[in-house]
Structure formats: structure tokens, C-alpha cells
């Protein structure tokens, strides 16, 4: 990233921090408890939850759309495939590919 370039997501994060400071809400670290981070992340993407159908294939829980794990995804090719994942990025090609995913617990 070049100097002086601001991403929209970064600006949203800055606005959130300013809002927290205005409301006098203390910022704290989650430490090693990444479940808190996943829970916060999933709360905004609950409509993108997909469940495992077969190895590498998932079905959207709300729409029933068949999706495949993209080869560049961090979860692709693992011995263990999570029963549920939340996709943050869907790539439509000849197949619907899940690229940016996070494992979820029911």
C-alpha cells in the first residue's frame, strides 16, 4: 500500500474508534481468545453461512445455493473441513467459489 492511500475499510475502522472514544467505551484486546473476534465478524455476515455438503462443497443455509471452496482459500485442501463456514467473498465464475472464509461453530 502506497503512502497516503486510505482504504474505505480503514476509514470505517477509524470512524468506529472515534465513535467508541466519543461514547467513552474502552478498547481492549481479545488476547488469545479468537472466538470473540469470530463472533463479532459473523454477526455482520450471518446471511452468508454455508454448511458442508461434501468435501470442498458447501450449501448456503438461507438460499440453498451450491458453493465450492476456492483453491486460494486458507481452508482449501485441509484434512478437516469445518461443518459451517461464513464466506466474506464470493467469486462467481462457472461455479460459485468461496474465497475469504472463516470457520463457524453452530
Amino acid at each position: 500500500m502506497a503512502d497516503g492511500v486510505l482504504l474505505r475499510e480503514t476509514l470505517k475502522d477509524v470512524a468506529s474508534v472515534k465513535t467508541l472514544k466519543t461514547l467513552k467505551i474502552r478498547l481492549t484486546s481479545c488476547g488469545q481468545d479468537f472466538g470473540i473476534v469470530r463472533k463479532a465478524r459473523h454477526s455482520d455476515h450471518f446471511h452468508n453461512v454455508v454448511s458442508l455438503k461434501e468435501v470442498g462443497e458447501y450449501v448456503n443455509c438461507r438460499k440453498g445455493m451450491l458453493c465450492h471452496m476456492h483453491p486460494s482459500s486458507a481452508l482449501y485442501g485441509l484434512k478437516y473441513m469445518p461443518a459451517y463456514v461464513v464466506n466474506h467473498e464470493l467469486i462467481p465464475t462457472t461455479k460459485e467459489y468461496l474465497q475469504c472464509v472463516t470457520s463457524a461453530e453452530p
Side-chain angles (χ1 to χ4, degrees):
M1 187 164 104
D3 290 339
V5 176
L6 293 176
L7 300 174
R8 179 176 292 150
E9 293 82 15
T10 305
L11 292 174
K12 286 180 186 177
D13 292 341
V14 170
S16 298
V17 170
K18 285 183 178 179
T19 301
L20 291 175
K21 286 182 179 179
T22 303
L23 296 173
K24 297 181 181 175
I25 298 174
R26 191 171 54 108
L27 292 175
T28 58
S29 172
C30 70
Q32 296 296 316
D33 188 8
F34 298 111
I36 295 171
V37 176
R38 268 191 255 132
K39 185 176 180 180
R41 183 114 176 132
H42 296 344
S43 66
D44 191 37
H45 295 279
F46 67 92
H47 54 280
N48 292 343
V49 174
V50 293
S51 62
L52 183 64
K53 180 179 179 182
E54 295 176 14
V55 176
E57 290 185 352
Y58 285 87
V59 177
N60 186 294
C61 292
R62 292 189 68 211
K63 300 175 186 174
M65 178 175 63
L66 183 65
C67 304
H68 300 271
M69 193 66 68
H70 194 273
S72 67
S73 172
L75 298 178
Y76 182 81
L78 292 179
K79 293 178 183 176
Y80 166 75
M81 297 297 293
Y84 294 93
V85 298
V86 177
N87 70 303
H88 306 286
E89 186 175 348
L90 188 68
I91 300 174
T93 58
T94 54
K95 295 179 180 179
E96 303 291 333
Y97 281 108
L98 307 169
Q99 184 175 22
C100 184
V101 295
T102 308
S103 63
E105 297 174 9

